[in-house]
Amino acid sequence: MSANDTPMMAQYKNIKSQHQDEILFFRLGDFYEMFFTDAEIASRELEITLTSREGGQNMRIPMCGVPYHAAENYIARLINKGFKVAICEQVEDPKQTKGIVRREVIKVITPGTVLSETLLPDQSNNYLTVIAERGTTLCLAAADISTGECLWVGYEGINRLPALCDQLYRLMPAELVIAGEIANDGELKAFINSRLANCAVSNFKEFDAEAITGLPGRHFAAEELPDCQCAQLSLGILLFYLHQTLKNDLSHLNRLTHLNFADSLVLDTSTLRNLEVTRNMRDGGKKETLLGVLDYTSTAMGGRLLKNWLEYPLMHAGRIMERQDAIAELLDQPAERQLVKTALSAVYDFERILTRVEVGTANARDLIALKDSLAVIPALQNSLANFRTALLTQLGTALTDHSSIVRLIDAAITETPPISLRDGGLIKENYHAELDELRSIARDSREWIQSLEARERERTGIKSLKIGYNKVFGYYLEVTHSNSSAVPVNYVRKQTLANAERYITPELKDFETKVLGAQEKIVSLEYVLFSEIRDSIKSDIRQIQQTARQIALLDTLVSLSEAAERYNYARPQIRTNGAILIKDGRHPVVERLLQRELFVPNDTLLDHHENEVMVITGPNMAGKSTYMRQVALLVLMAQTGSFIPAREAVISPVDRIFTRVGASDDLSTGQSTFMVEMNEVAQILKYATAKSLIVLDEIGRGTSTFDGMSIARAVIEYINERIKAKTLFATHYHELTELADYGRNIKNYSVAVKERGRDVVFLRRIVPGGADKSYGIHVAQLAGLPKKLIDRASRILAELEQNHPPAVRQPQVEQTAATLSSSLFESALAADLLAIDVLSITPLEALNILYRLQTEARKESGQL
């Protein structure tokens, strides 16, 4: 500060010194103003005009501003760009203050603490996360302030950082606070840059550990609090940060969840990305993901819970089957399910409305939405009374109707209130006697004005005389210049216009004082009454939050049953014998994308006996990767409790799903495609267990043929001999099919291909036996490479094959071909054979049918 500063600028600098990391929105009248560097940043980022103002001693300072009533949109744009915004309001009435008005920062808005609907994703959480490390313990605490959810998880040992990074990817936080020093922070920063590009990151290095660790006990029950000091620290810093930004007691943060991965199927970052479970790899959106296929939720709360279920599938068979039972009963009672869905469609995101109630930012429309949401609960209770499965029965019992709150809001708040709380029009008639009396005065004023206007016209003889009002001059009588000679002497000129004069009279001025006083009192009293109603709801927030969780659970179950009915999903049997058996399984996402062709289903058998490792060979573009992802997704869906796209299935829960699929480099860390691949394989081999499911696609592609083949073979042998996990392994190295001769639990499979001369057709069928060709040249031909190039490649291939005959032995090829022929015949012609009514057709019809079937069989075998 400088001695030359104006009083206002001195006040600004004092407040800004306490908020150096935020852009300060400084309230001046009807505008939020920004100065100095804040103004330059805001002007650039918001594309608004940068001006200047007098700052004392003839010095001008940079300045820009936005209207207070439109500030939310500007704040949203800054938050989306990763900035923090401090809101500084006038906390005194300027009319009743001598000198400069006192101002204070009432809240700080950061990416992880936003509450505005325009800034929050409807069906995703908006997490603020804090990371702290003590010794060999690394802890993460996270809260979604908009919903009241709060969780923590701790990691031990040398592999704690990769595990924490996987959790960060699941949470996808909007903001991350790093408390103190973190070992291997370079690795953490690289992960954030590559996978959490939109996350705002800050450091929190100086804090009073003793004071901070006492905060969790003020919010959560003693039995929920962690024993770990590192976890207590991360939770304490999280709560301290939230209190400092929101300036509120945050009583809606009252339930703490400990993430225990012994209860859930673990999906690491690579698996979530490769399988596109909740976010696609193209733009991070929901479209063309498993979540996009299954999401028929009616509420934002249900949408968030469904996403959570898919990212944290269950391990416990009993809990999986409990969900399955509920979905099955909803399928069996479509009429009741539709009644439930109709009721849910009227439910707003009142989980987030409750947060706005708690922090005092909920408006009248929020309360109407809360009332409408709670009003459907009796209908839900009536429908749930008709179900008998445990989960649905428990839901019906747990739902509370909150009828007293519904009646209060219904009696008090108008059905279509304005957004602003300061303009009146919030409270219904007959709710409050004093308010009704003031309104009566305001209504009578209109009649009085009309009466006075009529009397003055008659008294003066000026037929065009009229009474008007504006905020600057109040009430006035307006007379055109042509009638100015008839103006009485008691009229006092107030304003001259181009075509008229405006006047006041003592009588009109007395009336104005009375009426405007009543209008101001109406607006003030309505705000007080509304605040009382909003505050009265606070005492029930914990119970209403529980209701919100129950509605989200019901909505999620209804969504999964809706998807099961629409897409003909089957209920998988859940077993604990380690086997995965799928009959006619389909990829849940790909089958939805096909428009002109049917998805070809395939079987899967994996166990710990003779079918532990599937080595899958076949050409590019034939469907190997789709098939392997399909198996992983069906297992994941089954452990979510969902029905799956298959004719029938038996699924034993797995503890982790690992995928190494696709080729990608990591330019930020200087890693080649091959290095990224080897790192991912190393992580899989480090963490996989006999209860895991591993999906490996084309290991060893990024190096020489012999190097790649050697690594691929060693990986299979290591998994087979040491880990013994159920494994799907796709490869172009046909030599690896020999492994089936040495390991009794390794089986060869390939993708069926039909050849017609130089043309090939990919049949998308996974059949027993290894492939003897890669068909790479055929794929190049399909891609449109020049014919001369294709011909030259064919000649080179023939020379290479002559000099280096394939390692696959001919008997195996013949056996594969025989199996393939049999499989294709059955799949293509079985339906025709079964449709023939042998006892009713004529001999001639029988000969025609036999001829047609023989022709098709010859085509299938390549003889035509």
Side-chain angles (χ1 to χ4, degrees):
M1 271 175 284
S2 167
N4 298 324
D5 288 333
T6 63
M8 189 278 291
M9 188 51 57
Q11 183 189 54
Y12 169 83
K13 288 184 177 180
N14 179 56
I15 295 173
K16 176 62 183 177
S17 68
Q18 302 168 47
H19 295 276
Q20 297 183 19
D21 294 334
E22 296 92 39
I23 294 177
L24 183 63
F25 272 45
F26 190 78
R27 183 71 177 268
L28 285 176
D30 289 340
F31 280 79
Y32 286 116
E33 303 288 1
M34 287 147 278
F35 302 103
F36 300 106
T37 303
D38 283 358
E40 293 169 353
I41 293 172
S43 173
R44 180 182 69 248
E45 299 296 337
L46 299 176
E47 299 177 348
I48 55 179
T49 303
L50 180 68
T51 61
S52 64
R53 67 172 289 157
E54 178 64 37
Q57 294 294 311
N58 296 321
M59 180 183 70
R60 302 198 67 81
I61 58 176
M63 166 186 169
C64 68
V66 299
Y68 84 95
H69 57 79
E72 187 172 283
N73 291 331
Y74 292 104
I75 293 170
R77 289 165 61 185
L78 288 172
I79 296 300
N80 285 333
K81 291 173 180 287
F83 294 100
K84 301 176 183 179
V85 177
I87 307 298
C88 182
E89 289 286 2
Q90 299 172 171
V91 294
E92 292 180 325
D93 187 346
K95 297 177 182 178
Q96 301 176 3
T97 303
K98 292 183 179 180
I100 190 166
V101 177
R102 187 164 59 90
R103 294 177 174 85
E104 292 179 1
V105 170
I106 61 166
K107 61 183 173 181
V108 177
I109 305 173
T110 72
T113 61
V114 295
L115 294 175
S116 170
E117 288 182 279
T118 59
L119 293 173
L120 291 169
D122 286 341
Q123 294 192 327
S124 295
N125 287 98
N126 192 71
Y127 283 112
L128 166 71
T129 57
V130 172
I131 297 173
E133 187 173 40
R134 288 295 179 271
T136 60
T137 302
L138 186 61
C139 286
L140 177 149
D144 182 347
I145 191 65
S146 70
T147 65
E149 296 171 62
C150 195
L151 58 91
W152 74 275
V153 60
Y155 303 95
E156 295 281 351
I158 60 174
N159 298 315
R160 57 189 181 276
L161 186 57
L164 179 134
C165 289
D166 289 338
Q167 180 59 30
L168 284 174
Y169 187 78
R170 281 187 286 271
L171 295 176
M172 199 59 65
E175 186 174 358
L176 172 62
V177 177
I178 301 174
E181 300 296 329
I182 302 292
N184 299 322
D185 62 341
E187 184 179 341
L188 176 62
K189 289 176 182 176
F191 176 83
I192 293 170
N193 291 336
S194 62
R195 296 290 179 249
L196 306 176
N198 296 321
C199 179
V201 181
S202 59
N203 292 92
F204 197 82
K205 293 187 176 181
E206 297 181 4
F207 49 85
D208 183 345
E210 185 176 349
I212 284 175
T213 50
L215 284 174
R218 288 166 43 188
H219 284 267
F220 310 117
E223 61 270 17
E224 293 178 344
L225 296 176
D227 295 328
C228 170
Q229 288 187 348
C230 183
Q232 292 173 10
L233 178 63
S234 59
L235 275 171
I237 292 174
L238 173 71
L239 293 169
F240 178 81
Y241 186 90
L242 291 172
H243 281 285
Q244 290 294 105
T245 54
L246 294 170
K247 313 287 186 183
N248 199 278
D249 62 4
L250 305 176
S251 61
H252 71 297
L253 284 177
N254 51 49
R255 184 168 175 260
L256 181 62
T257 300
H258 174 214
L259 293 183
N260 184 358
F261 291 104
D263 298 331
S264 64
L265 161 61
V266 178
L267 304 169
D268 62 16
T269 301
S270 295
T271 298
L272 284 168
R273 291 188 71 250
N274 291 332
L275 297 182
E276 296 183 294
V277 178
T278 56
R279 293 181 288 272
N280 65 49
M281 286 193 283
R282 186 180 66 258
D283 60 11
K286 189 176 78 170
K287 188 177 181 182
E288 298 177 8
T289 66
L290 180 61
L291 175 61
V293 170
L294 298 179
D295 190 2
Y296 283 95
T297 55
S298 301
T299 71
M301 300 176 293
R304 291 193 292 270
L305 182 61
L306 176 60
K307 180 175 180 289
N308 180 273
W309 279 16
L310 293 175
E311 291 178 339
Y312 301 91
L314 300 173
M315 275 287 293
H316 191 273
R319 292 185 62 196
I320 296 171
M321 290 187 283
E322 188 178 50
R323 290 180 184 177
Q324 287 183 329
D325 290 342
I327 294 168
E329 190 172 21
L330 286 165
L331 278 170
D332 290 341
Q333 298 198 47
E336 288 294 341
R337 185 179 82 244
Q338 188 56 47
L339 288 175
V340 171
K341 191 167 181 65
T342 300
L344 289 172
S345 66
V347 174
Y348 293 84
D349 192 355
F350 67 90
E351 193 171 39
R352 282 179 168 163
I353 291 174
L354 291 174
T355 297
R356 295 198 289 274
V357 169
E358 162 63 26
V359 300
T361 61
N363 59 30
R365 293 185 183 182
D366 286 329
L367 296 198
I368 292 297
L370 176 62
K371 179 200 74 172
D372 292 343
S373 300
L374 298 180
V376 309
I377 292 177
L380 292 175
Q381 290 173 321
N382 290 337
S383 292
L384 288 169
N386 297 312
F387 294 98
R388 295 291 175 264
T389 53
L391 200 51
L392 295 175
T393 301
Q394 292 167 12
L395 272 171
T397 304
L399 278 178
T400 305
D401 63 8
H402 307 286
S403 56
S404 61
I405 291 176
V406 173
R407 287 194 298 268
L408 172 62
I409 298 174
D410 187 56
I413 308 298
T414 56
E415 289 300 323
T416 55
I419 295 176
S420 173
L421 300 179
R422 300 290 186 175
D423 297 335
L426 307 174
I427 306 298
K428 282 184 176 179
E429 298 281 349
N430 302 319
Y431 176 73
H432 193 270
E434 183 183 350
L435 180 62
D436 289 343
E437 183 179 350
L438 290 169
R439 284 173 170 166
S440 178
I441 293 173
R443 277 195 300 270
D444 292 344
S445 68
R446 287 192 290 271
E447 296 177 4
W448 190 89
I449 286 289
Q450 292 172 357
S451 175
L452 177 64
E453 189 177 76
R455 289 199 314 269
E456 290 300 306
R457 284 178 178 177
E458 184 177 352
R459 184 168 76 91
T460 62
I462 303 172
K463 302 301 181 184
S464 61
L465 181 149
K466 62 182 180 180
I467 297 177
Y469 171 83
N470 66 37
K471 289 184 179 181
V472 176
F473 296 107
Y475 285 96
Y476 55 82
L477 298 106
E478 186 172 294
V479 179
T480 60
H481 290 317
S482 60
N483 291 298
S484 58
S485 60
V487 172
V489 293
N490 67 323
Y491 278 29
V492 178
R493 182 182 289 112
K494 191 70 175 177
Q495 184 184 17
T496 300
L497 304 178
N499 300 314
E501 297 282 350
R502 288 177 176 175
Y503 304 87
I504 60 170
T505 65
E507 182 183 18
L508 187 59
K509 201 64 182 174
D510 290 343
F511 167 79
E512 178 184 299
T513 301
K514 178 181 178 181
V515 169
L516 292 183
Q519 290 176 337
E520 286 181 5
K521 287 179 181 178
I522 288 171
V523 171
S524 177
L525 182 55
E526 283 202 56
Y527 181 78
V528 169
L529 293 172
F530 175 82
S531 297
E532 290 176 354
I533 295 165
R534 185 172 60 190
D535 289 343
S536 71
I537 296 171
K538 282 188 180 182
S539 60
D540 289 334
I541 279 183
R542 184 185 290 265
Q543 291 77 19
I544 305 174
Q545 283 178 319
Q546 178 61 24
T547 298
R549 287 189 282 268
Q550 300 302 318
I551 286 179
L553 174 56
L554 177 60
D555 192 18
T556 303
L557 292 170
V558 170
S559 176
L560 291 176
S561 65
E562 191 83 8
E565 182 181 65
R566 287 172 181 255
Y567 304 142
N568 192 30
Y569 289 175
R571 175 177 181 167
Q573 298 179 47
I574 304 300
R575 297 286 184 267
T576 57
N577 59 5
I580 295 174
L581 173 62
I582 301 170
K583 295 287 188 182
D584 289 338
R586 314 184 307 274
H587 193 293
V589 180
V590 174
E591 75 165 346
R592 302 268 57 84
L593 300 177
L594 297 178
Q595 296 180 351
R596 297 185 179 181
E597 56 181 308
L598 294 174
F599 187 89
V600 178
N602 276 295
D603 297 345
T604 303
L605 174 59
L606 288 166
D607 56 33
H608 290 304
H609 302 292
E610 297 182 355
N611 303 279
E612 201 164 66
V613 178
M614 291 177 63
V615 176
I616 307 171
T617 48
N620 280 317
M621 301 295 294
K624 300 191 302 298
S625 295
T626 298
Y627 171 73
M628 293 194 300
R629 285 185 174 100
Q630 167 186 310
V631 175
L633 283 172
L634 297 194
V635 171
L636 186 155
M637 289 174 69
Q639 291 189 229
T640 299
S642 172
F643 288 18
I644 66 174
R647 178 160 52 86
E648 60 180 90
V650 175
I651 304 292
S652 295
V654 300
D655 62 354
R656 299 189 65 148
I657 296 177
F658 294 95
T659 62
R660 167 52 244 173
V661 179
S664 63
D665 53 24
D666 189 345
L667 299 178
S668 64
T669 58
Q671 295 187 73
S672 66
T673 299
F674 182 65
M675 189 62 179
V676 170
E677 177 185 305
M678 291 299 100
N679 281 334
E680 292 185 2
V681 172
Q683 290 296 102
I684 292 172
L685 300 181
K686 183 185 297 183
Y687 294 113
T689 72
K691 293 183 178 180
S692 302
L693 174 64
I694 300 176
V695 173
L696 296 172
D697 188 14
E698 306 294 354
I699 297 299
R701 285 174 300 183
T703 184
S704 70
T705 301
F706 290 143
D707 277 357
M709 190 188 308
S710 301
I711 292 171
R713 177 163 185 154
V715 167
I716 297 178
E717 291 176 350
Y718 188 92
I719 293 173
N720 181 50
E721 295 170 6
R722 299 195 179 193
I723 300 175
K724 301 189 179 302
K726 293 182 284 289
T727 303
L728 299 162
F729 190 101
T731 182
H732 277 297
Y733 298 131
H734 301 141
E735 293 82 357
L736 297 183
T737 58
E738 293 181 352
L739 285 167
D741 296 335
Y742 304 104
R744 68 176 184 83
N745 51 355
I746 300 176
K747 291 291 184 292
N748 287 324
Y749 288 85
S750 60
V751 185
V753 175
K754 180 167 64 176
E755 293 188 63
R756 291 181 179 174
R758 297 183 63 179
D759 295 329
V760 297
V761 178
F762 301 146
L763 300 175
R764 315 295 184 191
R765 275 285 188 188
I766 304 297
V767 296
D772 59 340
K773 293 182 181 180
S774 290
Y775 297 95
I777 293 176
H778 297 84
V779 173
Q781 185 176 4
L782 291 173
L785 267 64
K787 184 177 183 303
K788 287 186 177 180
L789 186 153
I790 297 297
D791 291 342
R792 174 58 180 156
S794 297
R795 291 194 297 272
I796 294 172
L797 176 63
E799 294 172 4
L800 290 172
E801 289 179 338
Q802 185 176 0
N803 296 328
H804 302 282
V808 179
R809 293 182 298 280
Q810 188 62 29
Q812 183 181 4
V813 175
E814 292 175 354
Q815 179 184 1
T816 301
T819 305
L820 172 60
S821 177
S822 173
S823 173
L824 292 178
F825 179 81
E826 290 173 1
S827 63
L829 306 179
D832 287 345
L833 287 169
L834 291 172
I836 299 171
D837 187 351
V838 177
L839 298 179
S840 64
I841 62 175
T842 66
L844 181 58
E845 289 173 333
L847 285 173
N848 287 334
I849 291 171
L850 181 60
Y851 177 77
R852 178 172 57 82
L853 292 176
Q854 185 183 56
T855 302
E856 289 296 322
R858 286 175 173 171
K859 290 179 180 178
E860 297 284 359
S861 63
Q863 297 179 25
L864 286 180

